[in-house]
Amino acid sequence: MKLRIAIQKSGRLLEDSLKILKECGISIDNGKDQLKANARNFPMEVFYLRNGDIPQYLNDGVVDIAIVGENILFEKGGGIDVAEKLGFSKCKVSMAVPKSENYESFTDFEGKRIATSYPNTVQRFLDEKRVKADLHVITGSVEIAPNIGLADAICDIVSSGSTLFKNNLKEVEVLLKSEAVLAVSPKINDERKALLEKLRFRIQSVLQARQNRYVLMNAPNDKLDEIIQILPGMRSPTVLPLAEEGWSSVHTVINKDKFWEVIDELKAAGAEGILVCPIEKMVL
């Protein structure tokens, strides 16, 4: 019995999907242009699929799990559960109009032509806002539609916003914030669920490690209590005596989002020789 996972065969998700599997200790035998591959050291088969096809494969039970963008699940993946948010390939699904347009509110879309690759997502938004508009489904470069007179507005993925800028468009409404997720087929059986839980354990360890840093510092003993109070460690820091009398070595883990403010406080409290190390895996 093998866990069957689908990942995008090309594009922005492929590299990061393979990277997280590798960090989970899973080696994949994959030749060039191969559409299915086996893992050497984990009971897993990898299917390389078109991103837009993945929800159907999940719903049909052809694959058990997939690494896919939330935006694709929202558009095509009714009934598919998300086991983990993976924290990469973050983007938005947004409405955009020409820069020259004086946009005031969503009611400006009334009666307009909207070009999009996400018709279901846009229609939900319009229905919720009770706005009627004409949708033009485009699978290619959506951003060009207003420039060639095909549409008055667009809805598409926005990452940096540079593509909108190059096409003289501006973002006016965010319909959905998206990132890569681990999605689960509604038809997965119990044996494969057990394998999925093993994989989730590994993924959670990798994601925790990415969010934290291991920090070591030297602290004068008369400042030790103050320094320990500053530290937001998992439970309590490790404190070891140094060879130099009156000093201790303090070891802890700090979330990367709080890192610099904590370091500033530690320095002010008397900590010296602060070392920061990446964490490969973090098992809670």
Side-chain angles (χ1 to χ4, degrees), residues 17-216:
S17 298
L18 292 174
K19 180 180 179 183
I20 197 167
L21 291 177
K22 183 177 180 180
E23 290 179 349
C24 288
I26 299 172
S27 301
I28 300 167
D29 293 319
N30 182 41
K32 187 178 180 182
D33 299 326
Q34 200 171 342
L35 297 180
K36 190 170 82 166
N38 288 302
R40 287 200 300 269
N41 51 0
F42 192 87
M44 174 183 284
E45 282 184 301
V46 181
F47 292 70
Y48 296 88
L49 305 175
R50 283 196 332 118
N51 206 31
D53 294 338
I54 289 176
Q56 190 64 53
Y57 277 73
L58 285 166
N59 272 324
D60 290 345
V62 177
V63 296
D64 306 303
I65 59 173
I67 297 177
V68 64
E70 281 179 290
N71 55 302
I72 295 297
L73 290 185
F74 193 79
E75 176 68 19
K76 298 182 175 182
I80 296 172
D81 291 331
V82 171
E84 292 289 338
K85 293 196 173 190
L86 302 177
F88 57 82
S89 293
K90 292 185 177 182
C91 65
K92 297 173 286 185
V93 178
S94 298
M95 306 283 280
V97 299
K99 289 180 184 177
S100 58
E101 291 287 327
N102 183 25
Y103 181 84
E104 294 183 358
S105 75
F106 57 82
T107 58
D108 291 355
F109 293 117
E110 183 72 38
K112 296 293 178 67
R113 300 165 300 162
I114 303 171
T116 184
S117 301
Y118 297 91
N120 295 327
T121 302
V122 178
Q123 194 60 60
R124 285 192 197 100
F125 170 77
L126 295 174
D127 290 346
E128 180 185 318
K129 301 298 184 183
R130 297 183 181 180
V131 171
K132 292 184 178 179
D134 295 323
L135 300 187
H136 293 259
V137 180
I138 298 177
T139 56
S141 300
V142 174
E143 294 87 356
I144 200 173
N147 291 332
I148 60 176
L150 182 62
D152 304 300
I154 70 160
C155 180
D156 201 17
I157 286 178
V158 176
S159 296
S160 65
S162 61
T163 305
L164 292 182
F165 180 81
K166 290 175 185 176
N167 286 277
N168 292 310
L169 299 173
K170 60 183 179 182
E171 182 183 37
V172 293
E173 296 283 348
V174 176
L175 277 57
L176 174 70
K177 291 185 177 180
S178 174
E179 64 183 89
V181 296
L182 185 68
V184 184
S185 168
K187 296 185 178 180
I188 188 172
N189 63 32
D190 289 341
E191 287 183 82
R192 290 187 168 114
K193 279 183 183 177
L195 292 174
L196 170 59
E197 288 309 305
K198 290 183 179 181
L199 177 63
R200 285 187 65 194
F201 173 77
R202 296 189 186 193
I203 288 175
Q204 288 166 358
S205 299
V206 170
L207 295 179
Q208 285 288 341
R210 289 181 180 181
Q211 291 299 314
N212 292 277
R213 299 292 181 267
Y214 189 72
V215 180
L216 305 84

Side-chain angles (χ1 to χ4, degrees), residues 230-277:
I230 295 169
L231 295 173
M234 291 182 292
R235 288 190 179 172
S236 62
T238 300
V239 180
L240 302 171
L242 289 178
E244 183 179 346
E245 189 175 345
W247 284 80
S248 295
S249 176
V250 181
H251 301 217
T252 192
V253 173
I254 298 177
N255 186 283
K256 68 174 186 178
D257 294 332
K258 299 178 180 178
F259 175 77
W260 285 112
E261 60 187 82
V262 173
I263 293 298
D264 289 340
E265 289 184 57
L266 291 171
K267 287 183 64 180
E272 298 180 5
I274 301 172
L275 299 179
V276 182
C277 307

